[in-house]
Amino acid sequence: MTTFSPQSQTNSRIYTVSSLNAQVRLVLENEMGVVWLIGELSNFSMPVSGHWYFTLKDSRAQVKCAMFKGSNRHVTFKPGNGNQVLVKARLSLYEPRGDYQLIIESMQPEGDGRLQQQFEQLKMSLAAEGLFAQSLKQMLPEQPKRVGIITSKTGAALHDILQVLQRRDPSLPIVIYPTMVQGEGSAISIAQAIGRANARQECDVLIVGRGGGSLEDLWAFNEEIVARTIAASQIPIVSAVGHEVDVTIADFVADVRAPTPSAAAELISRDMTHQTQLLDRKKQQLHHAVRSYLSQSLRQATQLQHRLERQHPQLRLNQQQQHLDEISQRLVQAMQKKIQKHQQHIDSNNYKISLYSPATLVSNAQRNLERSERRLYDALDRKLLNAKHKLAVAAEKLETVSPLATLARGYSITRNEQGDVIRKTSQVKTGDTLITTVTDGEIHSCIIK
């Protein structure tokens, strides 16, 4: 018989559940670091604490997520269930339940977010290689002998560049290298045009660019092949892509970045403000150097911030806050059920009280009394109607034997002064006064003979 003992296990350390979860959380946070992923939002909730809790899923799997209010206040759109999003997150573990979850640091819609992520990744990769270094930048010629323009032959950018060059320096020779600037194959087309210009060596400065558009429209100038071709160019290149607010990878690699195609033409052409242009060029170079320095410093600060966040008490506070939110929700639900149950009990008691209350009894008695009164009045009406009918029948019978009816037929009744009816002549004598009743009155007469 084999006896089990902890020392017989491969790992002699015995964990509690809480210590195991804490150890796993540290492993996830320290080993995995920051990840990017795309998914659909579901079960989205926003408690009063300001934190967001939701599930990120695809067609086959899902993962719980938390985005604390310090991070979600930077989200520029209103998220909801069903949204496809790109998130930047750190892997973690919610220790009280042992649930694996993501702590979301940033969120954006999938389409723009995917391109922006690719932009940032390529930018950081090329910066790490040194392609943005100021030491690699070539000086633009102070008095160019021939200018090459690499852009679409039908675009507005070419028209703007030619118009500015014609106005400022009509004698400056121009060579146009037409290329695609948008759509599939446009990045290769741009790189080939730069290669042709370098092979011919007929220009001493190149303008590479196009007009404004969306991030997707300008994407050819964010492709790695274009960036590396610009970096390898022996001819100084001015990047002139989009509007002033548009920034592409080509801008960082080029020797000089112009905010617009027209500004690029202004920059390389000669006129009375030539010295000002030289100063602007120096400022541009300084701007690139400062931006490169700031970019490097920002990366270092971000790395230090991530290291600090992994050790910061705020993480523990956020987990406790998440746990508190869940407890609060359960408490609210329990209280609501308790209140609902008591309310049902109160309603039942109120109904029973209403059935036996004096007011109800009096009201019922009052209704019974009213019904009895109505039955009594109905009986009286029927009794009175019956009596009237009998009276009418009796009156009709009486009428047939009434003396008045006899009088109406021409008969009369004679009485003496004492009121006795005279039926015979022997009942009267001379001097008596007689009263004869006829149908319309009385006749008084006196017996004289």
Side-chain angles (χ1 to χ4, degrees), residues 65-134:
C65 304
M67 190 172 191
F68 300 111
K69 61 182 178 181
S71 299
N72 63 37
R73 63 185 177 187
H74 300 295
V75 176
T76 58
F77 71 103
K78 185 177 181 180
N81 291 330
N83 290 154
Q84 289 286 337
V85 295
L86 170 71
V87 298
K88 177 184 178 183
R90 289 183 293 102
L91 274 70
S92 185
L93 185 81
Y94 184 50
E95 294 181 27
R97 286 199 312 265
D99 285 346
Y100 149 74
Q101 66 176 5
L102 298 178
I103 305 300
I104 308 300
E105 295 183 353
S106 68
M107 178 190 300
Q108 50 193 318
E110 177 190 356
D112 292 344
R114 191 194 299 268
L115 292 179
Q116 189 64 38
Q117 180 198 17
Q118 294 176 11
F119 176 91
E120 294 294 337
Q121 288 177 341
L122 181 58
K123 177 183 172 184
M124 293 179 64
S125 175
L126 296 180
E129 290 184 28
L131 263 67
F132 303 165
Q134 190 62 35

Side-chain angles (χ1 to χ4, degrees), residues 20-40:
L20 175 63
N21 285 351
Q23 187 67 29
V24 172
R25 180 181 65 82
L26 291 176
V27 171
L28 285 174
E29 292 179 352
N30 294 330
E31 295 298 327
M32 294 298 296
V34 175
V35 296
W36 291 83
L37 67 158
I38 293 172
E40 178 183 339

Side-chain angles (χ1 to χ4, degrees), residues 155-176:
L158 178 61
H159 173 75
D160 294 341
I161 293 172
L162 294 177
Q163 188 177 42
V164 172
L165 293 179
Q166 178 65 27
R167 173 174 53 83
R168 291 171 56 84
D169 193 355
S171 63
L172 181 62
I174 298 171
V175 178
I176 299 174

Side-chain angles (χ1 to χ4, degrees), residues 124 293-307:
M124 293 179 64
Y293 174 76
L294 290 177
S295 178
Q296 182 179 0
S297 299
L298 179 61
R299 287 197 302 274
Q300 293 177 350
T302 302
Q303 293 172 354
L304 292 174
Q305 182 181 3
H306 288 165
R307 290 174 56 189

Side-chain angles (χ1 to χ4, degrees), residues 150-358:
I150 299 176
T151 188
S152 171
K153 62 181 179 182
T154 60
L158 178 61
H159 173 75
D160 294 341
I161 293 172
L162 294 177
Q163 188 177 42
V164 172
L165 293 179
Q166 178 65 27
R167 173 174 53 83
R168 291 171 56 84
D169 193 355
S171 63
L172 181 62
I174 298 171
V175 178
I176 299 174
Y177 301 92
T179 181
M180 296 170 57
V181 293
Q182 183 175 337
E184 186 177 357
S186 55
I188 296 176
S189 180
I190 294 169
Q192 290 174 344
I194 297 173
R196 286 197 303 273
N198 277 269
R200 295 179 184 178
Q201 287 293 316
E202 54 191 354
C203 301
D204 51 1
V205 64
L206 297 176
I207 297 176
V208 179
R210 57 155 289 163
S214 66
L215 179 61
E216 185 177 0
D217 294 337
L218 305 180
W219 193 250
F221 297 89
N222 290 322
E223 294 282 2
E224 184 174 358
I225 187 173
V226 173
R228 294 192 180 280
T229 304
I230 291 175
S233 174
Q234 298 178 1
I235 303 173
I237 291 180
V238 178
S239 175
V241 182
H243 302 301
E244 187 170 356
V245 295
D246 297 321
V247 178
T248 65
I249 298 296
D251 295 332
F252 294 105
V253 184
D255 301 293
V256 174
R257 183 241 178 189
T260 63
S262 297
E266 295 270 355
L267 186 64
I268 66 171
S269 56
R270 296 166 295 192
D271 67 351
M272 298 298 293
T273 60
H274 180 61
Q275 295 301 322
T276 303
Q277 291 178 349
L278 292 178
L279 179 61
D280 290 340
R281 192 178 309 143
K282 296 293 185 181
K283 288 170 62 177
Q284 189 72 23
Q285 293 172 353
L286 178 61
H287 174 72
H288 277 289
V290 171
R291 185 163 57 183
S292 178
Y293 174 76
L294 290 177
S295 178
Q296 182 179 0
S297 299
L298 179 61
R299 287 197 302 274
Q300 293 177 350
T302 302
Q303 293 172 354
L304 292 174
Q305 182 181 3
H306 288 165
R307 290 174 56 189
L308 178 62
E309 287 177 351
R310 288 195 294 269
Q311 304 172 12
H312 201 281
Q314 185 66 38
L315 289 176
R316 174 66 62 176
L317 181 61
N318 288 340
Q319 288 191 344
Q320 294 297 332
Q321 182 64 56
Q322 183 177 354
H323 184 58
L324 178 61
D325 288 337
E326 291 186 351
I327 293 176
S328 299
Q329 290 176 351
R330 291 200 300 269
L331 178 61
V332 169
Q333 292 173 355
M335 290 299 297
Q336 289 176 344
K337 290 181 179 178
K338 193 75 172 177
I339 292 172
Q340 185 178 10
K341 183 177 180 181
H342 280 291
Q343 186 62 48
Q344 292 174 348
H345 183 67
I346 291 172
D347 292 341
S348 177
N349 289 337
N350 287 339
Y351 176 72
K352 292 179 181 178
I353 290 173
S354 66
L355 291 178
Y356 302 103
S357 68

